[in-house]
Amino acid sequence: MAVLVAALAFGVPAEAATYAKGIDVSNWQGSIDWLQVGDDGNSFMFAKATEGTGYTDITYAVNRAGAQGVGLRLGAYHFGRPTGSGDAAVVSSAIAQADRFVNVAQPKPGDLPPVLDLEANGGLAQPALVRWTQAWLDEVAARTGVNALVYASPNFWKTSLGDTPTVAGSGHPLWIAHWTTAAGPLVPASNWSGRGWTFWQWSRCESVPGIAHCVDGDRANGLSVIPFAIKSFPGGPPVPSVPPTIVGTAKAGAKLAAVPGSWSGGKPVAFNYQWQSCDAAGAGCLPIAGATLEAYTPTVTDVGHALALTVTAVAPSGSAVASAPVTLAVTPSGAGGSAAPSVLAAPQVTGPAQVGQTLTASAGTWGGSPTTFAFAWRRCDPAGAACSALPGATASSYALTPGDAGTTLSVVVTATGKGGSQSATAPTTAVVALAPVPTAVTGSLVAQPGAAGAVVTTDGRATVTWQPGAVPTGAGVTLEPGETTPAIPGTGLSLTLAPSQSTLPWPLDVAYAAAPPGQVVAFSTDDKIWVPIAALTTPSLPGNLQQGTYEAGGVIHVLTRQAGHIALFRPGRWGDPRRISPKAPVVRPMTPLRVSRQRDGTILLVTRLSTSSQSHLYANVLSTGGKQPPILKPGSRFSIPLGGGSTRTVQVLVLNSGGFPVRLRFSGRAVPTRTLIRLRVTAIDPWGRTGAFTLSFRAP
């Protein structure tokens, strides 16, 4: 009631009591007494670090140190100045500003996520501003591994960015700027694609002790901002997961922008660029002197040459290099000499747009004096846009692979003569369709060229299918029932390839006919050791995974690039692969032994052990010098109470790794003081691997 009365008295909603309190500052606030700010109930603050590509807030370093000195969580923000005319210039502007921000702000684990402050559109139209925004966010994510926050008002997001849900859909949280005394802010983009707001700037002018000027008031969507803080950065060398790309049209005088792609591994990471000049087909590439920035503008000397790009990612623990697909051959900005080729009739692509089929390109009709033709196949989106060159696809024909399904294909033909080179693009194909899957054959099937295949087990429990090219022509695929304990009965499968293949270029799809959903799906290469298969959000297997599983229409699917064994396990039950160590179980002591002789003459052992895996635990009293005192079950505990009677061996099933209590009473009869007693604790995991530890003590 007191909270409600106070909220009504000051015009602040009662719900504010459920939010962590904070502020955001810049050089406008001047010198700040952070001790007073911390005493005012604030738990976090955002500080301006940079603006555009040329401005660094001079108070950022001082504000960062002051806030951290009084225990406030800190986040840095960049005031965006979107610019650019044309796709490449827009992307280049965003990446340059993102790089400057990361270099100045230097976000660290424990900080709040970095922020893009969007208040100015720079005159960009809505699609261009969305592209600029996404490029800035992608660059920060590539360098830090963190999805940055987006700061904007509801009106700005709706009018300048068309209320796009794209940014929210890609996982970037929202810091909404809505100055109101209402219980909650207006949230654009359909409540930020259902995610709601993460931070809320609810006031533009709060009076805070220690700050001379008016300051923005903020709230976090929770009692603490700790859940929103940056987690520890991963270590190790960087590893490319999405290759770099080149944005823009390869034309003399037209800017090209480099997008470094996505990288797993060590963070934070910095990128170094090297542009290269190649022949028209993208071969024979050599570095271009001085072309080491994220943007490059081709010159007349590049006309007729394709351009390539290498990106070197440098992390604290190492570096790695990745290359972008080459561009089309650079075209001149104006008309060439009289001998320069000119296209009279565009190239054409013929052949069915279906996986396993072959497309053929004609060179078209050309004027001038071409002496050679180079072919560069491109993969495009379903609308025929966002095309990228296919590495190595430089012949006049191209066999469609499973990776082409759902896309369109085109080819660029570059004609070269004495007066230079000119390129022409064939119209894109229809959207490439999957090859029809034939009726499944029982047991096994030999892969045929250009054809899909399907094999069903003899009992009908599962079917494996594949697209043309996924299995080498002439290789045999066999799918058999293969029961294994402790998997769910009726779910074991054995998938074999003959001759054997270490890995396949595209996955096979194994679908269960009738299996309970929500089970743990696991894979084994030897039918003994099982590992859980990663869950996929879409029916597509990323290149860095060998297996993945998804459910569609209540049917469990497993995508695999390897032959092996597949089975389902009950979650949380004996044999759940998620609860089993990758290695043999290890038993370790957690607390020192406490041994005492009780008034009734019994010997009491108390300690705590741990096991690294789900295990079947045994404790055996070993014979030492003829002494092997029995364990008295009453009053004893080995993870669980032991009951009544006596024994020299106790056992228990432990379904989770971790610590467990040990309290064992031994018969002290005929056990003199200083007698050595040994207790061997053995852990056996569901795969039959064992680990043991021996407790030794002398009778008190």
Side-chain angles (χ1 to χ4, degrees):
M1 180 63 71
V3 171
L4 179 59
V5 170
L8 294 174
F10 290 97
V12 178
E15 291 82 358
T18 66
Y19 303 139
K21 177 183 175 183
I23 58 174
D24 59 272
V25 300
S26 67
N27 62 89
W28 192 86
Q29 273 71 41
S31 178
I32 297 175
D33 184 342
W34 286 104
L35 288 175
Q36 293 190 59
V37 174
D39 290 340
D40 195 43
N42 293 290
S43 62
F44 69 92
M45 79 93 168
F46 288 101
K48 182 177 182 179
T50 52
E51 179 174 335
T53 56
Y55 177 79
T56 299
D57 193 306
I58 60 174
T59 64
Y60 173 69
V62 174
N63 287 339
R64 181 182 183 92
Q68 290 179 328
V70 296
L72 297 185
R73 291 277 176 170
L74 169 93
Y77 73 87
H78 171 79
F79 191 97
R81 290 292 183 185
T83 62
S85 177
D87 220 18
V90 167
V91 170
S92 175
S93 163
I95 290 177
Q97 293 191 38
D99 284 341
R100 178 171 178 79
F101 167 74
V102 173
N103 293 341
V104 172
Q106 297 185 14
K108 296 176 175 60
D111 288 354
L112 296 179
V115 181
L116 172 59
D117 180 352
L118 283 175
E119 301 180 48
N121 59 28
L124 298 184
Q126 289 179 355
L129 186 57
V130 171
R131 183 67 188 273
W132 189 96
T133 301
Q134 193 65 58
W136 192 98
L137 297 170
D138 289 346
E139 181 70 3
V140 171
R143 292 195 57 181
T144 66
V146 177
N147 279 342
L149 287 158
V150 174
Y151 169 95
S153 70
N155 183 64
F156 184 86
W157 196 262
K158 291 180 180 180
T159 58
S160 293
L161 290 103
D163 206 28
T164 176
T166 303
V167 175
S170 59
H172 295 278
L174 175 65
W175 177 9
I176 188 67
H178 185 198
W179 309 317
T180 177
T181 58
L186 295 177
V187 181
S190 300
N191 195 31
W192 209 246
S193 290
R195 294 177 171 85
W197 59 273
T198 302
F199 289 90
W200 171 19
Q201 187 186 85
W202 69 277
S203 171
R204 68 181 301 182
C205 188
E206 288 295 292
S207 178
V208 175
I211 301 178
H213 301 291
C214 210
V215 67
D216 297 327
D218 297 294
R219 293 169 179 161
N221 201 350
L223 292 174
S224 170
V225 294
I226 293 177
F228 308 129
I230 299 173
K231 306 301 185 291
S232 297
F233 286 145
V239 178
S241 51
V242 176
T245 55
I246 298 172
V247 177
T249 301
K251 184 176 182 179
K255 178 181 285 190
L256 299 175
V259 178
S262 298
W263 299 72
S264 58
K267 295 291 187 301
V269 68
F271 299 118
N272 298 323
Y273 302 92
Q274 178 62 65
W275 295 83
Q276 297 175 324
S277 178
C278 316
D279 63 21
C285 302
L286 295 173
I288 301 173
T292 57
L293 300 178
E294 76 278 351
Y296 177 70
T297 302
T299 67
V300 291
T301 59
D302 295 313
V303 172
H305 296 270
L307 298 177
L309 171 72
T310 58
V311 177
T312 302
V314 182
S317 299
S319 61
V321 179
S323 298
V326 296
T327 69
L328 308 180
V330 176
T331 58
S333 58
S338 59
S342 59
V343 66
L344 302 176
Q348 298 293 321
V349 175
T350 58
Q354 179 180 295
V355 175
Q357 301 299 312
T358 298
L359 301 178
T360 302
S362 67
T365 303
W366 296 79
S369 304
T371 55
T372 59
F373 292 95
F375 297 83
W377 289 88
R378 306 187 304 166
R379 182 184 289 152
C380 311
D381 65 22
C387 301
S388 60
L390 288 166
T394 56
S396 59
S397 61
Y398 175 76
L400 292 164
T401 71
D404 299 315
T407 70
T408 58
L409 276 291
S410 181
V411 67
V412 176
V413 178
T414 301
T416 303
K418 292 182 180 180
S421 299
Q422 185 64 271
S423 299
T425 304
T428 55
T429 66
V431 176
V432 177
L434 293 171
V437 177
T439 302
V441 174
T442 302
S444 62
L445 179 67
V446 174
Q448 300 300 314
V455 174
V456 64
T457 59
T458 53
D459 61 359
R461 69 176 61 173
T463 301
V464 59
T465 60
W466 63 91
Q467 283 291 296
V471 179
T473 298
V477 180
T478 301
L479 187 66
E480 300 174 307
E483 300 306 325
T484 186
T485 310
I488 299 174
T491 67
L493 299 171
S494 174
L495 174 65
T496 57
L497 298 173
S500 63
Q501 310 287 323
S502 58
T503 187
L504 298 172
W506 291 281
L508 285 66
D509 189 329
V510 179
Y512 280 92
Q519 306 305 310
V520 180
V521 189
F523 183 85
S524 173
T525 57
D526 58 3
D527 202 25
K528 296 178 181 178
I529 309 300
W530 294 81
V531 295
I533 297 176
L536 304 174
T537 57
T538 62
S540 177
L541 186 63
N544 61 332
L545 294 180
Q546 291 290 72
Q547 289 85 32
T549 182
Y550 68 97
E551 292 184 15
V555 176
I556 296 176
H557 291 258
V558 178
L559 300 179
T560 178
R561 291 187 173 94
Q562 286 180 305
H565 303 270
I566 302 169
L568 307 184
F569 296 80
R570 292 185 176 88
R573 302 285 290 277
W574 179 250
D576 183 343
R578 302 170 303 177
R579 302 189 177 187
I580 301 171
S581 171
K583 298 180 180 179
V586 176
V587 180
R588 290 192 178 96
M590 295 182 69
T591 59
L593 291 177
R594 289 187 291 144
V595 183
S596 60
R597 190 180 289 270
Q598 306 299 295
R599 291 182 178 180
D600 60 0
T602 61
I603 298 170
L604 179 64
L605 164 68
V606 177
T607 188
R608 189 173 182 84
L609 303 179
S610 71
T611 176
S612 63
S613 177
Q614 187 182 79
S615 305
H616 198 164
L617 293 173
Y618 295 83
N620 302 83
V621 182
L622 304 179
S623 176
T624 305
K627 301 297 182 182
Q628 193 180 9
I631 299 171
L632 304 176
K633 292 183 179 181
S636 292
R637 183 182 183 89
F638 188 64
S639 180
I640 61 173
L642 299 185
S646 63
T647 182
R648 287 187 173 86
T649 301
V650 295
Q651 59 177 305
V652 67
L653 206 63
V654 177
L655 297 180
N656 293 297
S657 61
F660 59 92
V662 177
R663 177 186 172 91
L664 298 177
R665 293 176 60 243
F666 299 85
S667 172
R669 185 181 306 168
V671 181
T673 300
R674 304 299 295 169
T675 299
L676 179 66
I677 301 174
R678 295 186 301 154
L679 182 74
R680 186 173 180 82
V681 180
T682 303
I684 305 176
D685 72 12
W687 317 146
R689 299 173 298 181
T690 63
F693 184 80
T694 301
L695 299 172
S696 299
F697 62 93
R698 293 193 178 274

